[in-house]
Amino acid sequence: GRFCRNYTCPPLIGEVDELIDKCNSYTKLVLWQNVYPLEDSFDFEGMMDAQIVHNEMTKNVAQKVYAEFGRENALVLGAGGCSLCEVCAVKTSEPCRFPLDRIASVEAYGMNVSRTAAAADMKYINGVNTVTYFSGCFYR
């Protein structure tokens, strides 16, 4: 839904092969998930609220990781595109307002989340009336 409308989404985030290479340049990955209850399988508002909570947690993790490891030694990815700004600067032809704070999604970097979750012995689908969001931290 943010294709060409967010700096952290395709195609503006960059070439997927280069993004995959960047991920592969790290030696470790911590992958985490949060499972949120929904009123029903059509609870779009609940899904969006859950994504906000998940990405706020991811943002807090990113601040701690970058303080500990430095930005050159870590990469934190979240769920969905960056949502720091109500309206992404790309829509007004401006440069990103927060280039050091923005968080792209694991999917934008070419990660197949369902396969990665299975490889990590994590469930991608966690039952009816739930939504699951994933984030990850690559580091050296």
Side-chain angles (χ1 to χ4, degrees), residues 96-140:
C96 178
R97 297 176 194 100
F98 303 102
L100 295 178
D101 296 322
R102 66 187 185 192
I103 296 176
S105 71
V106 291
E107 294 90 351
Y109 271 70
M111 185 183 291
N112 182 321
V113 179
S114 62
R115 285 186 182 172
T116 304
D121 201 27
M122 300 168 82
K123 291 182 181 177
Y124 181 72
I125 299 173
N126 286 280
V128 296
N129 299 333
T130 66
V131 64
T132 305
Y133 290 108
F134 287 84
S135 290
C137 173
F138 291 90
Y139 65 102
R140 296 183 179 93

Short mmCIF file of all heavy atoms in Angstrom, two decimals, residues 96-140:
data_model
loop_
_atom_site.label_atom_id
_atom_site.label_comp_id
_atom_site.label_asym_id
_atom_site.label_seq_id
_atom_site.Cartn_x
_atom_site.Cartn_y
_atom_site.Cartn_z
N CYS A 96 13.95 12.67 3.04
CA CYS A 96 13.46 12.07 4.27
C CYS A 96 13.82 12.97 5.45
O CYS A 96 14.94 13.44 5.57
CB CYS A 96 14.07 10.68 4.45
SG CYS A 96 13.58 9.88 5.99
N ARG A 97 12.84 13.20 6.32
CA ARG A 97 13.05 14.06 7.48
C ARG A 97 13.84 13.37 8.60
O ARG A 97 14.45 14.03 9.43
CB ARG A 97 11.69 14.51 8.03
CG ARG A 97 10.89 15.36 7.05
CD ARG A 97 9.50 15.68 7.63
NE ARG A 97 8.63 16.21 6.58
CZ ARG A 97 7.71 15.49 5.94
NH1 ARG A 97 7.51 14.23 6.25
NH2 ARG A 97 6.98 16.04 5.00
N PHE A 98 13.80 12.05 8.62
CA PHE A 98 14.45 11.28 9.69
C PHE A 98 15.23 10.09 9.12
O PHE A 98 14.94 8.94 9.45
CB PHE A 98 13.40 10.79 10.69
CG PHE A 98 12.59 11.88 11.30
CD1 PHE A 98 11.30 12.13 10.84
CD2 PHE A 98 13.11 12.66 12.32
CE1 PHE A 98 10.55 13.15 11.40
CE2 PHE A 98 12.37 13.68 12.89
CZ PHE A 98 11.08 13.94 12.43
N PRO A 99 16.23 10.34 8.29
CA PRO A 99 16.93 9.22 7.63
C PRO A 99 17.62 8.27 8.61
O PRO A 99 17.77 7.09 8.31
CB PRO A 99 17.94 9.92 6.72
CG PRO A 99 18.10 11.28 7.29
CD PRO A 99 16.78 11.64 7.92
N LEU A 100 18.01 8.74 9.78
CA LEU A 100 18.68 7.86 10.74
C LEU A 100 17.69 7.12 11.63
O LEU A 100 18.08 6.16 12.31
CB LEU A 100 19.66 8.65 11.60
CG LEU A 100 20.85 9.26 10.85
CD1 LEU A 100 21.73 10.05 11.79
CD2 LEU A 100 21.65 8.18 10.12
N ASP A 101 16.46 7.54 11.65
CA ASP A 101 15.47 6.92 12.53
C ASP A 101 14.47 6.03 11.80
O ASP A 101 13.76 5.25 12.42
CB ASP A 101 14.69 8.00 13.30
CG ASP A 101 15.58 8.79 14.22
OD1 ASP A 101 16.49 8.20 14.84
OD2 ASP A 101 15.37 10.02 14.32
N ARG A 102 14.41 6.15 10.49
CA ARG A 102 13.42 5.37 9.75
C ARG A 102 13.73 3.88 9.82
O ARG A 102 14.89 3.49 9.92
CB ARG A 102 13.32 5.85 8.31
CG ARG A 102 14.57 5.62 7.49
CD ARG A 102 14.45 6.27 6.14
NE ARG A 102 15.59 5.96 5.31
CZ ARG A 102 15.84 6.56 4.18
NH1 ARG A 102 15.02 7.49 3.73
NH2 ARG A 102 16.88 6.22 3.46
N ILE A 103 12.68 3.09 9.80
CA ILE A 103 12.83 1.64 9.86
C ILE A 103 12.04 1.04 8.71
O ILE A 103 10.83 1.24 8.60
CB ILE A 103 12.33 1.08 11.21
CG1 ILE A 103 13.20 1.64 12.34
CG2 ILE A 103 12.35 -0.44 11.20
CD1 ILE A 103 12.75 1.23 13.72
N ALA A 104 12.74 0.31 7.87
CA ALA A 104 12.11 -0.38 6.75
C ALA A 104 11.58 -1.73 7.23
O ALA A 104 11.88 -2.17 8.34
CB ALA A 104 13.11 -0.57 5.61
N SER A 105 10.84 -2.38 6.39
CA SER A 105 10.28 -3.68 6.77
C SER A 105 11.22 -4.82 6.37
O SER A 105 12.04 -4.69 5.46
CB SER A 105 8.92 -3.89 6.10
OG SER A 105 9.07 -4.11 4.72
N VAL A 106 11.04 -5.95 7.06
CA VAL A 106 11.81 -7.13 6.70
C VAL A 106 11.47 -7.56 5.28
O VAL A 106 12.35 -8.01 4.53
CB VAL A 106 11.60 -8.28 7.72
CG1 VAL A 106 12.23 -7.94 9.06
CG2 VAL A 106 10.15 -8.62 7.89
N GLU A 107 10.23 -7.39 4.87
CA GLU A 107 9.83 -7.78 3.51
C GLU A 107 10.48 -6.89 2.46
O GLU A 107 10.86 -7.36 1.39
CB GLU A 107 8.30 -7.71 3.36
CG GLU A 107 7.55 -8.70 4.20
CD GLU A 107 7.18 -8.18 5.58
OE1 GLU A 107 7.65 -7.09 5.97
OE2 GLU A 107 6.42 -8.87 6.27
N ALA A 108 10.63 -5.60 2.75
CA ALA A 108 11.26 -4.68 1.79
C ALA A 108 12.69 -5.09 1.50
O ALA A 108 13.21 -4.85 0.42
CB ALA A 108 11.21 -3.24 2.30
N TYR A 109 13.33 -5.73 2.47
CA TYR A 109 14.70 -6.20 2.30
C TYR A 109 14.77 -7.59 1.70
O TYR A 109 15.81 -8.23 1.68
CB TYR A 109 15.45 -6.15 3.63
CG TYR A 109 16.12 -4.81 3.86
CD1 TYR A 109 15.38 -3.68 4.12
CD2 TYR A 109 17.51 -4.69 3.79
CE1 TYR A 109 15.99 -2.45 4.33
CE2 TYR A 109 18.13 -3.48 3.99
CZ TYR A 109 17.37 -2.36 4.26
OH TYR A 109 17.99 -1.14 4.45
N GLY A 110 13.65 -8.08 1.19
CA GLY A 110 13.63 -9.34 0.46
C GLY A 110 13.46 -10.58 1.31
O GLY A 110 13.57 -11.70 0.80
N MET A 111 13.17 -10.42 2.60
CA MET A 111 13.02 -11.58 3.45
C MET A 111 11.64 -12.20 3.27
O MET A 111 10.63 -11.51 3.31
CB MET A 111 13.20 -11.19 4.93
CG MET A 111 13.16 -12.38 5.87
SD MET A 111 13.27 -11.90 7.61
CE MET A 111 14.94 -11.32 7.70
N ASN A 112 11.63 -13.51 3.05
CA ASN A 112 10.38 -14.26 3.02
C ASN A 112 10.07 -14.62 4.48
O ASN A 112 10.65 -15.54 5.03
CB ASN A 112 10.52 -15.50 2.15
CG ASN A 112 9.24 -16.29 2.05
OD1 ASN A 112 8.50 -16.42 3.02
ND2 ASN A 112 8.98 -16.82 0.86
N VAL A 113 9.18 -13.85 5.08
CA VAL A 113 8.95 -13.98 6.51
C VAL A 113 8.39 -15.34 6.89
O VAL A 113 8.80 -15.92 7.90
CB VAL A 113 8.05 -12.84 7.03
CG1 VAL A 113 7.80 -12.97 8.52
CG2 VAL A 113 8.67 -11.49 6.72
N SER A 114 7.49 -15.88 6.10
CA SER A 114 6.91 -17.18 6.45
C SER A 114 7.98 -18.27 6.45
O SER A 114 8.01 -19.12 7.34
CB SER A 114 5.74 -17.54 5.54
OG SER A 114 6.14 -17.66 4.21
N ARG A 115 8.87 -18.26 5.48
CA ARG A 115 9.96 -19.26 5.43
C ARG A 115 10.97 -19.04 6.55
O ARG A 115 11.46 -19.99 7.15
CB ARG A 115 10.67 -19.21 4.09
CG ARG A 115 9.88 -19.84 2.97
CD ARG A 115 10.71 -19.90 1.72
NE ARG A 115 9.93 -20.46 0.64
CZ ARG A 115 10.33 -20.48 -0.61
NH1 ARG A 115 11.51 -19.98 -0.94
NH2 ARG A 115 9.58 -21.01 -1.55
N THR A 116 11.28 -17.78 6.80
CA THR A 116 12.23 -17.47 7.88
C THR A 116 11.66 -17.89 9.22
O THR A 116 12.37 -18.45 10.07
CB THR A 116 12.59 -15.98 7.87
OG1 THR A 116 13.09 -15.63 6.57
CG2 THR A 116 13.64 -15.64 8.90
N ALA A 117 10.39 -17.62 9.44
CA ALA A 117 9.73 -18.01 10.70
C ALA A 117 9.79 -19.53 10.86
O ALA A 117 10.13 -20.04 11.93
CB ALA A 117 8.30 -17.52 10.72
N ALA A 118 9.49 -20.25 9.80
CA ALA A 118 9.52 -21.72 9.87
C ALA A 118 10.93 -22.21 10.18
O ALA A 118 11.11 -23.12 11.00
CB ALA A 118 9.02 -22.32 8.56
N ALA A 119 11.94 -21.61 9.56
CA ALA A 119 13.33 -22.00 9.81
C ALA A 119 13.74 -21.73 11.25
O ALA A 119 14.61 -22.42 11.80
CB ALA A 119 14.27 -21.28 8.84
N ALA A 120 13.11 -20.73 11.87
CA ALA A 120 13.40 -20.38 13.26
C ALA A 120 12.46 -21.09 14.23
O ALA A 120 12.44 -20.78 15.41
CB ALA A 120 13.30 -18.87 13.45
N ASP A 121 11.67 -22.03 13.70
CA ASP A 121 10.69 -22.77 14.51
C ASP A 121 9.68 -21.84 15.18
O ASP A 121 9.30 -22.03 16.33
CB ASP A 121 11.39 -23.65 15.55
CG ASP A 121 10.49 -24.79 16.02
OD1 ASP A 121 9.60 -25.20 15.25
OD2 ASP A 121 10.68 -25.25 17.16
N MET A 122 9.26 -20.82 14.42
CA MET A 122 8.24 -19.88 14.88
C MET A 122 7.02 -20.04 14.00
O MET A 122 7.14 -20.36 12.81
CB MET A 122 8.76 -18.43 14.77
CG MET A 122 10.00 -18.16 15.58
SD MET A 122 10.76 -16.57 15.16
CE MET A 122 9.75 -15.46 16.12
N LYS A 123 5.87 -19.79 14.56
CA LYS A 123 4.64 -19.84 13.76
C LYS A 123 4.46 -18.51 13.03
O LYS A 123 4.64 -17.44 13.61
CB LYS A 123 3.43 -20.08 14.66
CG LYS A 123 3.38 -21.45 15.26
CD LYS A 123 2.11 -21.59 16.08
CE LYS A 123 2.03 -22.95 16.72
NZ LYS A 123 0.83 -23.06 17.57
N TYR A 124 4.07 -18.62 11.77
CA TYR A 124 3.75 -17.42 10.99
C TYR A 124 2.29 -17.05 11.21
O TYR A 124 1.93 -15.88 11.25
CB TYR A 124 4.03 -17.69 9.51
CG TYR A 124 3.75 -16.53 8.61
CD1 TYR A 124 4.59 -15.42 8.61
CD2 TYR A 124 2.66 -16.53 7.75
CE1 TYR A 124 4.34 -14.33 7.78
CE2 TYR A 124 2.41 -15.46 6.91
CZ TYR A 124 3.25 -14.37 6.93
OH TYR A 124 3.00 -13.31 6.11
N ILE A 125 1.44 -18.04 11.35
CA ILE A 125 0.02 -17.86 11.64
C ILE A 125 -0.22 -18.43 13.02
O ILE A 125 0.12 -19.58 13.30
CB ILE A 125 -0.86 -18.54 10.58
CG1 ILE A 125 -0.58 -17.92 9.20
CG2 ILE A 125 -2.33 -18.44 10.96
CD1 ILE A 125 -1.26 -18.63 8.05
N ASN A 126 -0.81 -17.63 13.89
CA ASN A 126 -0.96 -18.01 15.29
C ASN A 126 -2.41 -18.17 15.72
O ASN A 126 -2.75 -17.88 16.86
CB ASN A 126 -0.23 -17.00 16.17
CG ASN A 126 1.26 -17.18 16.09
OD1 ASN A 126 1.81 -18.06 16.72
ND2 ASN A 126 1.91 -16.38 15.26
N GLY A 127 -3.25 -18.62 14.82
CA GLY A 127 -4.62 -18.92 15.18
C GLY A 127 -5.62 -17.89 14.66
O GLY A 127 -5.25 -16.81 14.20
N VAL A 128 -6.87 -18.27 14.75
CA VAL A 128 -7.94 -17.39 14.27
C VAL A 128 -8.01 -16.15 15.16
O VAL A 128 -7.63 -16.18 16.34
CB VAL A 128 -9.31 -18.11 14.25
CG1 VAL A 128 -9.29 -19.25 13.24
CG2 VAL A 128 -9.71 -18.60 15.62
N ASN A 129 -8.44 -15.08 14.56
CA ASN A 129 -8.62 -13.81 15.25
C ASN A 129 -7.34 -13.31 15.92
O ASN A 129 -7.36 -12.76 17.03
CB ASN A 129 -9.77 -13.90 16.26
CG ASN A 129 -11.08 -14.22 15.58
OD1 ASN A 129 -11.29 -13.91 14.41
ND2 ASN A 129 -11.98 -14.87 16.30
N THR A 130 -6.23 -13.50 15.22
CA THR A 130 -4.95 -12.94 15.65
C THR A 130 -4.23 -12.37 14.45
O THR A 130 -4.51 -12.74 13.30
CB THR A 130 -4.02 -13.99 16.30
OG1 THR A 130 -3.63 -14.95 15.32
CG2 THR A 130 -4.66 -14.66 17.51
N VAL A 131 -3.32 -11.46 14.71
CA VAL A 131 -2.40 -10.97 13.69
C VAL A 131 -1.00 -11.05 14.29
O VAL A 131 -0.82 -10.80 15.49
CB VAL A 131 -2.75 -9.53 13.22
CG1 VAL A 131 -2.60 -8.51 14.35
CG2 VAL A 131 -1.91 -9.13 12.02
N THR A 132 -0.05 -11.44 13.47
CA THR A 132 1.33 -11.61 13.92
C THR A 132 2.23 -10.69 13.11
O THR A 132 2.16 -10.66 11.88
CB THR A 132 1.79 -13.07 13.72
OG1 THR A 132 0.87 -13.93 14.39
CG2 THR A 132 3.19 -13.29 14.26
N TYR A 133 3.06 -9.94 13.82
CA TYR A 133 4.03 -9.06 13.16
C TYR A 133 5.44 -9.49 13.56
O TYR A 133 5.68 -9.91 14.69
CB TYR A 133 3.80 -7.59 13.56
CG TYR A 133 2.54 -7.02 12.96
CD1 TYR A 133 1.44 -6.77 13.74
CD2 TYR A 133 2.46 -6.75 11.60
CE1 TYR A 133 0.28 -6.25 13.20
CE2 TYR A 133 1.31 -6.25 11.03
CZ TYR A 133 0.21 -5.99 11.85
OH TYR A 133 -0.94 -5.49 11.29
N PHE A 134 6.36 -9.37 12.59
CA PHE A 134 7.75 -9.76 12.79
C PHE A 134 8.66 -8.56 12.62
O PHE A 134 8.40 -7.67 11.81
CB PHE A 134 8.16 -10.81 11.74
CG PHE A 134 7.58 -12.16 11.96
CD1 PHE A 134 6.30 -12.47 11.52
CD2 PHE A 134 8.31 -13.14 12.63
CE1 PHE A 134 5.76 -13.72 11.73
CE2 PHE A 134 7.77 -14.40 12.84
CZ PHE A 134 6.48 -14.70 12.39
N SER A 135 9.73 -8.56 13.37
CA SER A 135 10.83 -7.61 13.21
C SER A 135 12.13 -8.38 13.34
O SER A 135 12.12 -9.54 13.81
CB SER A 135 10.79 -6.50 14.28
OG SER A 135 9.71 -5.63 14.07
N GLY A 136 13.21 -7.75 12.95
CA GLY A 136 14.49 -8.43 13.05
C GLY A 136 15.63 -7.45 13.23
O GLY A 136 15.53 -6.28 12.85
N CYS A 137 16.68 -7.94 13.83
CA CYS A 137 17.90 -7.16 14.01
C CYS A 137 19.07 -7.96 13.48
O CYS A 137 19.40 -9.02 14.02
CB CYS A 137 18.10 -6.83 15.49
SG CYS A 137 19.70 -6.03 15.82
N PHE A 138 19.66 -7.49 12.41
CA PHE A 138 20.89 -8.06 11.89
C PHE A 138 22.05 -7.33 12.58
O PHE A 138 21.99 -6.11 12.77
CB PHE A 138 21.01 -7.82 10.37
CG PHE A 138 20.03 -8.60 9.56
CD1 PHE A 138 18.78 -8.07 9.24
CD2 PHE A 138 20.37 -9.86 9.07
CE1 PHE A 138 17.88 -8.80 8.49
CE2 PHE A 138 19.48 -10.57 8.31
CZ PHE A 138 18.23 -10.05 8.01
N TYR A 139 23.10 -8.08 12.95
CA TYR A 139 24.24 -7.44 13.58
C TYR A 139 25.50 -8.27 13.40
O TYR A 139 25.44 -9.42 13.02
CB TYR A 139 23.96 -7.13 15.06
CG TYR A 139 23.77 -8.35 15.93
CD1 TYR A 139 24.79 -8.79 16.76
CD2 TYR A 139 22.56 -9.04 15.94
CE1 TYR A 139 24.61 -9.91 17.57
CE2 TYR A 139 22.37 -10.16 16.74
CZ TYR A 139 23.41 -10.58 17.55
OH TYR A 139 23.23 -11.68 18.34
N ARG A 140 26.61 -7.61 13.71
CA ARG A 140 27.93 -8.26 13.62
C ARG A 140 28.46 -8.48 15.01
O ARG A 140 28.28 -7.72 15.90
CB ARG A 140 28.92 -7.40 12.85
CG ARG A 140 28.53 -7.20 11.41
CD ARG A 140 29.60 -6.39 10.66
NE ARG A 140 29.17 -6.26 9.29
CZ ARG A 140 28.47 -5.24 8.81
NH1 ARG A 140 28.15 -4.24 9.58
NH2 ARG A 140 28.11 -5.22 7.56
#
